[in-house]
Amino acid sequence: MSPTAPITDANPTVEEMEARVARFRALPVTNDYADAGIPGCERTTWRVIGTPPAAPLQAEGFHLNIVCCEPGKSAPLHNHLTQEVFVALSGRWEIFWGPTGERHVMLEAWDTIAIPAGVSRGFKNIAAEPAYLIGIASGRDPGNINWPAQVRAAAEAAGFRLP
């Protein structure tokens, strides 16, 4: 039988718990996604949970971002060393994967998909209005992103080189 969490007398104050709240209106926009400079891949991202100071709330083993894309905008095909989960908050999203992004499913509000580590993936807002998506990546450092040759070529055509 697996051990269970002990019941404790822990009872943080309201102030202590308030320090563990990330208020969306106070989150800074994250501007370190190099691939967001590729035409068609412009998006707004807010880091919420992960490693401070980039994320206001610290967590071990997972990172959570909120993403907003205008209609037709996307995150290009990319790969992590970690699993990644996408949760559609609004609109309609095409989640694509594979070596060239040839496979896809459509998510609507509150639909969720878990992409295994090592599988190239991306997403695109296919709604007629701006839409929001949550991205959750597992592991201690999900930021070690890599991009396939076609995405690197698109970045170079836009005048910059992906790391």
Side-chain angles (χ1 to χ4, degrees):
M1 185 163 139
S2 298
T4 58
I7 302 300
T8 70
D9 290 332
N11 190 11
T13 66
V14 170
E15 292 78 19
E16 289 169 326
M17 292 308 289
E18 188 66 36
R20 302 177 68 85
V21 174
R23 302 282 178 200
F24 183 76
R25 69 180 176 272
L27 291 174
V29 171
T30 301
N31 61 3
D32 60 356
Y33 283 94
D35 60 9
I38 299 171
C41 298
E42 303 89 355
R43 59 196 182 278
T44 303
T45 304
W46 296 268
R47 215 171 254 124
V48 181
I49 298 174
T51 305
L57 301 179
Q58 184 170 355
E60 293 255 351
F62 73 95
H63 302 257
L64 183 145
N65 291 335
I66 299 172
V67 179
C68 180
C69 286
E70 294 294 323
K73 303 295 182 175
S74 68
L77 199 61
H78 64 281
N79 203 335
H80 295 266
L81 296 172
T82 64
Q83 179 176 1
E84 190 167 26
V85 173
F86 297 120
V87 181
L89 296 179
S90 63
R92 296 179 64 202
W93 294 87
E94 179 183 78
I95 308 300
F96 50 91
W97 68 91
T100 60
E102 67 276 9
R103 296 194 171 156
H104 63 273
V105 296
M106 193 268 300
L107 300 183
E108 294 180 321
W110 307 108
D111 292 344
T112 303
I113 187 170
I115 309 289
V119 174
S120 292
R121 77 292 301 260
F123 54 80
K124 181 177 184 177
N125 176 5
I126 57 173
E129 64 280 332
Y132 288 83
L133 176 86
I134 287 178
I136 304 167
S138 66
R140 291 190 179 272
D141 189 4
N144 291 328
I145 299 170
N146 201 356
W147 299 268
Q150 68 270 27
V151 174
R152 289 183 176 281
E156 289 196 22
F160 65 95
R161 183 179 298 268
L162 292 170

